[in-house]
Amino acid sequence: MNSITIPGLSKPVTTLIQGSDYFRPSIYEKVCSVLDRFLAIGGNTIDTAHIYCGGESELAIGQWMKDRNNREDVVILTKGAHHDQNGPRVNPEAIAKDLFDSLERLGTDYIDLYALHRDDPNVPVSVIMDALNEHIAAGRIKAIGGSNWTVERLEEANEYAAANGLVGFTFSSPNLSLAKAKEPFWAGCVSIDANDCEWHEKYQLPILSWSSQARGFFTGRFTPEDQSNEDLVRVFYSDDNWERLRRAEQLAKEKGVSTIQIALAYVLNQPFPTCALIGAQNEEELISCYEGSKIVLTKEELRWLEHVDISVR
């Protein structure tokens, strides 16, 4: 499987990252089946978060790593400092609490890739970067990133880190997909646009994209008339995205692959390092993603797929 390098890590990060927002100890056999097969096809990076399944996702992954005795073979991406019912909690105390919780659940003394699950623009980047760097210095974190941080805040944070001899963010985890979001999935979520992509190309900061396949928009199961999935309608139903779907279908036929594999290839063929978080739950879905990750798209094909503007026709 293809991989990228992220500063701070000695291990490569595979371009497919297995998601775990459905992992629980109660379905441990399924967790093992998915993760064992993911490693068998060459994957090594697993995405989780402090809040996933109320912490059970990290517990299940920790049990699997203990049973397989393979901690050094995998890359763990976990996230913390998500808001709660009281509001934002991107602060040193919340970061420390969530990090120590995650370390205990996962049964490890370090996290390879640690991302702040949300941002709070009211908190100065100096406070956040100082806190994260204390954990890096203590060996609890190898590399840091922002999940759902704007490029403006990422740049501000990294400028502060560079000016003060600190470790900066070496990856970002927003939503990047061929279908362009009309509005955030959830409060505080970030989907990047063309200008953001230009920034990432300029700085070559890797993106680890969540909802990289637009939550099933490219599976062929949905049509403009089908209003059954309220979130998909709210976020992705637009004339431009239906045209992108049509073009992805056309290109898929030309290449002899599936439409959703073209959507995945779009994410993985950007002019900067990218990985795609996938939610595969069985071998068929894993193999589909693996084959999609091998598709090469030209700059012209990328531009044709994404640069759609129905309004000017």
Side-chain angles (χ1 to χ4, degrees):
M1 186 180 295
N2 297 329
S3 63
I4 67 170
T5 58
I6 292 182
L9 290 190
S10 58
K11 291 178 277 191
V13 175
T14 50
T15 54
L16 294 182
I17 298 177
Q18 176 61 47
S20 66
D21 61 354
Y22 63 92
F23 283 12
R24 296 179 184 272
S26 60
I27 57 165
Y28 186 59
E29 287 187 7
K30 180 174 182 177
V31 170
C32 291
S33 175
V34 169
L35 291 180
D36 288 347
R37 185 56 182 154
F38 178 63
L39 262 64
I41 63 173
N44 77 340
T45 306
I46 305 165
D47 167 66
T48 186
H50 182 267
I51 67 165
Y52 285 175
C53 300
E56 291 190 74
S57 170
E58 291 179 325
L59 285 171
I61 295 167
Q63 186 62 51
W64 172 78
M65 290 193 297
K66 180 180 178 181
D67 290 346
R68 299 297 187 267
N69 190 28
N70 66 355
R71 176 64 185 95
E72 295 307 309
D73 298 328
V74 299
V75 173
I76 296 296
L77 161 63
T78 196
K79 304 178 287 293
H82 195 282
H83 59 255
D84 62 14
Q85 67 275 12
N86 298 315
R89 44 191 301 280
V90 185
N91 57 67
E93 295 75 23
I95 291 169
K97 179 191 179 302
D98 289 3
L99 174 59
F100 281 110
D101 283 350
S102 294
L103 290 169
E104 182 177 359
R105 294 169 182 167
L106 290 161
T108 184
D109 57 4
Y110 72 95
I111 302 298
D112 302 277
L113 302 170
Y114 195 75
L116 298 178
H117 212 159
R118 292 289 191 274
D119 186 16
D120 181 358
N122 293 315
V123 178
V125 292
S126 58
V127 173
I128 297 168
M129 300 309 283
D130 287 350
L132 289 171
N133 270 263
E134 289 180 10
H135 295 296
I136 292 173
R140 291 185 283 267
I141 299 172
K142 300 295 184 182
I144 53 174
S147 179
N148 298 296
W149 278 52
T150 65
V151 296
E152 290 80 12
R153 282 277 284 182
L154 290 170
E155 186 166 17
E156 183 183 359
N158 280 357
E159 287 177 350
Y160 171 80
N164 290 275
L166 299 175
V167 176
F169 287 142
T170 54
F171 69 94
S172 178
S173 185
N175 164 243
L176 166 63
S177 66
L178 177 56
K180 306 307 176 186
K182 298 184 295 180
E183 61 180 77
F185 284 90
W186 305 284
C189 285
V190 171
S191 294
I192 68 169
D193 59 21
N195 290 333
D196 298 331
C197 284
E198 290 179 3
W199 183 89
H200 278 273
E201 182 176 3
K202 176 182 178 180
Y203 291 103
Q204 290 296 297
L205 188 78
I207 281 183
L208 317 182
S209 171
W210 55 265
S211 287
S212 55
Q213 293 166 299
R215 304 184 73 80
F217 183 81
F218 293 94
T219 60
R221 297 196 301 265
F222 302 99
T223 65
E225 295 73 33
D226 180 359
Q227 304 283 309
S228 60
N229 188 316
E230 292 182 5
D231 284 335
L232 214 63
V233 172
R234 176 177 59 85
V235 177
F236 285 132
Y237 275 34
S238 70
D239 289 343
D240 285 0
N241 281 337
W242 292 120
E243 174 61 15
R244 292 185 180 103
L245 172 60
R246 186 195 68 76
R247 294 186 184 193
E249 290 172 339
Q250 179 180 329
L251 190 59
K253 289 179 181 178
E254 293 174 3
K255 292 182 177 293
V257 298
S258 69
T259 304
I260 200 164
Q261 287 173 330
I262 291 294
L264 179 63
Y266 166 82
V267 172
L268 297 179
N269 279 269
Q270 296 296 316
F272 50 86
T274 54
C275 299
L277 277 57
I278 59 171
Q281 298 199 32
N282 54 54
E283 183 167 352
E284 180 183 0
E285 292 174 353
L286 276 171
I287 295 303
S288 173
C289 290
Y290 175 72
E291 292 174 348
S293 73
K294 297 295 186 180
I295 297 171
V296 176
L297 299 178
T298 66
K299 290 181 180 179
E300 291 74 22
E301 288 170 331
L302 283 173
R303 184 172 180 81
W304 180 74
L305 283 169
E306 69 182 350
H307 286 278
V308 171
D309 188 356
I310 300 296
S311 65
V312 299
R313 294 187 173 193

